[in-house]
Amino acid sequence: MIQIQPVFNKRTEFEVLAERRGLLFEALELSFDGVSEEKAEWYRTSGKVHSLHGAFIDVNPGSGDGEIAALSEKRYVESCEKAIACGAKNVVFHSTCFPFLRGYYIESWLKKMADFYIRLAGQYPELRFFTENSFDIDPEPLKRLMELVKAPNMGICLDIGHINYSRVPLEGWFDALGEYTGYLHLSDNMGVYDDHMTLGTGTVDWEKASKLSSALKKDTPVTLEISSPENIAASLDYLSENGYFGGVL
């Protein structure tokens, strides 16, 4: 299953592309503040929203500041309600762990995040939740989080582009998180910034990523995190021509 993140202002182009290539939507724009009712209604009535990217700007339910944690939890719940309104089955949230601290910081973050995710997973059993590596420089915090949560509707979204500028190679992330991984984000970059480039134009080893993904032997939703219809089409052609991600394309 291939998904894209459409842009409302180019909705006609994205609708045509989705119909032509058999694509579904992961709604990203609904995670931003101040979404117009016209935009929200388009997503609700499109019939193509299979997943929703949850709130991720300046939120952290694992924060040591109670007010920040409470507001973050509110934003996460709002994302769940938006997902249900759109008919989405999956919600993706970023990891919010600050990557360069361990010890007391991570123990506190893990407990707060695990407690919150257990509550959220129980509150919305009809949704599947995936935590995406975002700031993470290595897979240890996310692995420990999954070991604590143990909810059947909670898993990991591996973002291959983010892995490309982490401190751990692709195989290390799949080895550590493969059993929890049920969702993938694909985009390319040069190993420095999260550029969301067309696949095959950066330094990501897509052959290796494809082999590691296939080894999971899971029916995994895949989202192309690429902004323009033209670059999405080029990325799909690149995957098809090289036979990558054959188990999901």
Side-chain angles (χ1 to χ4, degrees), residues 157-174:
C157 168
L158 275 185
D159 188 303
I160 305 301
H162 294 173
I163 289 174
N164 197 45
Y165 52 78
S166 74
R167 293 182 177 178
V168 175
L170 274 167
E171 54 268 33
W173 286 86
F174 277 86

Side-chain angles (χ1 to χ4, degrees), residues 90-235:
N90 310 302
V91 182
V92 179
F93 290 117
H94 278 189
S95 166
T96 61
C97 183
F98 184 72
F100 299 106
L101 292 177
R102 294 295 191 262
Y104 171 78
Y105 167 80
I106 197 169
E107 299 303 326
S108 174
W109 178 84
L110 282 166
K111 184 180 186 309
K112 288 183 171 67
M113 283 302 299
D115 289 347
F116 170 65
Y117 269 144
I118 289 168
R119 296 198 308 274
L120 193 70
Q123 184 176 351
Y124 295 97
E126 68 272 39
L127 295 174
R128 294 188 300 170
F129 297 99
F130 296 93
T131 304
E132 173 189 349
N133 57 299
S134 48
F135 305 140
D136 307 83
I137 57 175
D138 66 80
E140 179 190 356
L142 288 178
K143 181 177 182 180
R144 292 188 60 194
L145 179 62
M146 290 298 104
E147 290 171 345
L148 289 172
V149 175
K150 297 179 181 177
N153 57 333
M154 181 71 67
I156 291 291
C157 168
L158 275 185
D159 188 303
I160 305 301
H162 294 173
I163 289 174
N164 197 45
Y165 52 78
S166 74
R167 293 182 177 178
V168 175
L170 274 167
E171 54 268 33
W173 286 86
F174 277 86
D175 287 345
L177 297 173
E179 64 179 297
Y180 305 109
T181 297
Y183 203 105
L184 295 173
H185 275 173
L186 309 185
S187 66
D188 220 328
N189 60 64
M190 303 304 293
V192 180
Y193 299 114
D194 192 16
D195 298 310
H196 289 192
M197 294 162 56
T198 303
L199 304 192
T201 63
T203 60
V204 171
D205 187 339
W206 291 110
E207 180 178 7
K208 180 182 289 185
S210 176
K211 289 179 179 177
L212 291 167
S213 173
S214 295
L216 296 177
K217 300 186 184 304
K218 297 179 181 179
D219 183 13
T220 305
V222 174
T223 295
L224 299 180
E225 288 199 305
I226 300 162
S227 58
S228 77
E230 297 80 12
N231 290 343
I232 291 170
S235 295

Side-chain angles (χ1 to χ4, degrees), residues 13 26 36 52 54 74 111 128 156 176 221:
E13 295 175 56
E26 179 189 304
S36 69
L52 182 137
K74 180 175 181 289
K111 184 180 186 309
R128 294 188 300 170
I156 291 291

